Each structure stands twice: as structure tokens, then as C-alpha cells.
Amino acid sequence: MFTQVVVGWDASPNSEAALRWAAARGDAAPLLIVHTVPGADTSSEYLRATGDLPEARVELIDRAERLRTEHPGRTVDTLTVHGRPDKELAAYLDGGALVVVGASQSGHETAWTLGARLAGRRGRGAVAVIPPDWEAAERRGVVVGVDGSARAKEAVRFGIEESVRLGEPLELVHAWLVPTSWNSAYIEYLSDVSLMEDMRRDVLDDAMAFAREHSADPSGRLERGAAAAILAEATESASVVIVASHTAGGMARFLLGSVSHDLLLRATGPVIVVSDVG
């Protein structure tokens, strides 16, 4: 499915959780662990025995050796570089990689976590964001959020592959809200809501039909409520929740899309954001 699985690592508990999740996937793709150290590269630093970069490189090599022992036969490579994590890791999205990071690697609370910044970039890969305690709950099932867009169908296609790989059921979820601006008479309101619900069910049915065309047998769930909250609730027990990125290029590419962005901030389990095709 992927050319490689790339994990952003910095020895923090959050990055350790991401590494454990990536290694446990059983993916046949090579695993690359990338440790980005703040600062700029200097040729002399590579020749020194001490310093931030050499010390980080030794620490990462030791961690990779332990990982190879834990997962015999898994191809594990390492890379230690100076730079910004979002910039270094985003380069792998253009190569069709799955980039895996912890839920927050910023060291403080912020809406623009590393995962959100990566998921807001265009590329042919996908971004997985893993909470530090994802192993605390018993997990089963692949959940895909759908909204009727072409990008959501790519998320469904990805969800089918994950469901087959894990041997777990696939569920498609479409959530909707009644517009707050509606203030018509009660009978008219009920009629309008019923019509909108029928339209929303058509969106779900279309996604279900698309999945069946690709040899899947999903279940479907239509929910009235905020999509991010409903999908975040699914992360409490699902093996993974998958959504599409809704970026547009330029500065707008950092506007990941409110549902995907809010989901990354609320999720208690693994979330994969399928990036735009660049």
C-alpha cells in the first residue's frame, strides 16, 4: 500500500507510542525512523563525536536495534537530521509514504500540532496521528468518516485496505447537523429536516455502494450531530478512524478542514488522514 512507513521520533512518550503503533501494524513496507534535531546542518558536526546531532543519532540507532529485536525480519532504517519536523516529514508524503507521529510533539497545547500541520499538506501519502495511551483500550474495527466528496471516497478505499489487512469490520459514518439558521414554522421545519435526512442518507448509501463496488461489505451509520465529536467518540474503541484531508493548496493547504482538524485534537485512538493527491 505504501512505499514506506515513516515515523517522526524524538524519544518522547508520544513519539514512542507512534513508533509502537507503526511497528505493530505488520506492514511489509520498510520502516524509517526520523529524528529531527532543531538547528541547521553543518558539515563539521558529522565528524564530531559529541554534540546534539551525534548524540541524537546514537540514541536513535540504539532504539532501532531494540525495535529489530522486538520485530524480527522487519526492515528498520534511521535518519537523524537538523531542521523542522513538519518540513522534513512532509517530504515523504510526496513519495506515497504513511507518516506516523504522536498526537502532540510540541511540548505545549496548541491547535496546530505536528500531526495537524502534516495532514494539512498536499501529497500522495497519508498521516497517522497516535495518542500516547492508544493501547489502553481494547480496539476493533475500521471507521471511515464520509461526506459525499471525492476525497472521502479515497478515504473509503483506504479504509477497505486497512479492514482487509487487519481482518476487522469496516464501518462508514456520515454525520450531519440541522442548519442553525432554520427558523420556519414547526410543520415546515419537520418537513425540511426529514428531507435533509433523506439527502444525507443518500450520501451514506452512495459511499456504501462505492465500498461494495470494491468488494467490501461495510456497515453504515447515519448520525445527527457534529461530525468531529461523533468520530472522536469512535476513536475510543476503533482500531483506527480514517478521514480525508480537505486542503486547497497555497496557504489554504494549512486549513486542514474543521472536521479533520477537530478530530485530531479530540481523538483518543489512532486517526489516519488521507492526504490530497498533489
Side-chain angles (χ1 to χ4, degrees), residues 7 13 18 28 31-32 39 44 52 62 84 91 96 117 122 161 203 207 214 218 227 230 234 244-246 252 263:
V7 181
L31 180 65
L32 174 64
S44 62
D52 290 345
D62 288 344
R84 282 174 30 198
R117 296 198 303 273
R122 298 169 70 89
E161 294 175 347
V203 170
H214 290 78
I230 289 168
S245 167
H246 287 278
L263 173 60

Side-chain angles (χ1 to χ4, degrees), residues 16-17 22 24 48 53 72 83 119 152 159 218 272:
E16 271 293 318
R48 296 202 304 265
L53 198 67
I272 296 178

Side-chain angles (χ1 to χ4, degrees), residues 168-261:
E168 297 181 6
L170 173 67
E171 181 181 41
L172 308 185
V173 177
H174 179 57
W176 64 285
L177 286 169
V178 176
T180 56
S181 60
W182 286 12
N183 57 2
S184 55
Y186 182 69
I187 299 300
E188 293 175 352
Y189 175 84
L190 290 180
S191 176
D192 289 343
V193 169
S194 178
L195 178 59
M196 173 169 275
E197 184 169 9
D198 288 342
M199 294 170 63
R200 295 296 187 170
R201 189 170 298 281
D202 287 342
V203 170
L204 179 61
D205 289 345
D206 182 60
M208 298 277 286
F210 177 81
R212 293 188 183 106
E213 289 171 2
H214 290 78
S215 303
D217 184 24
S219 61
R221 179 155 53 99
L222 185 66
E223 294 276 0
R224 190 187 300 187
I230 289 168
L231 292 172
E233 184 177 356
T235 66
E236 296 175 5
S237 59
S239 291
V240 64
V241 172
I242 300 168
V243 292
S245 167
H246 287 278
T247 61
M251 284 301 295
R253 70 186 179 186
F254 294 103
L255 302 179
L256 172 58
S258 60
V259 172
S260 300
H261 194 173

Side-chain angles (χ1 to χ4, degrees), residues 38-52:
D41 283 327
T42 61
S43 57
S44 62
E45 189 167 15
Y46 284 93
L47 303 177
R48 296 202 304 265
T50 59
D52 290 345

Side-chain angles (χ1 to χ4, degrees), residues 6-9 36 84-94 98-102 105 111-129 245 247 253-254 256 261 264 273-276:
V6 179
V7 181
W9 187 85
T36 306
R84 282 174 30 198
D86 58 330
K87 182 177 180 180
E88 296 297 329
L89 293 171
Y92 294 97
L93 290 173
D94 291 331
L98 172 63
V99 175
V100 185
V101 297
Q105 293 186 347
W112 289 111
T113 61
L114 175 59
R117 296 198 303 273
L118 286 169
R121 291 179 178 268
R122 298 169 70 89
R124 293 186 290 108
V127 177
V129 180
S245 167
T247 61
R253 70 186 179 186
F254 294 103
L256 172 58
H261 194 173
L264 291 181
V273 181
V274 179
S275 301
D276 291 345

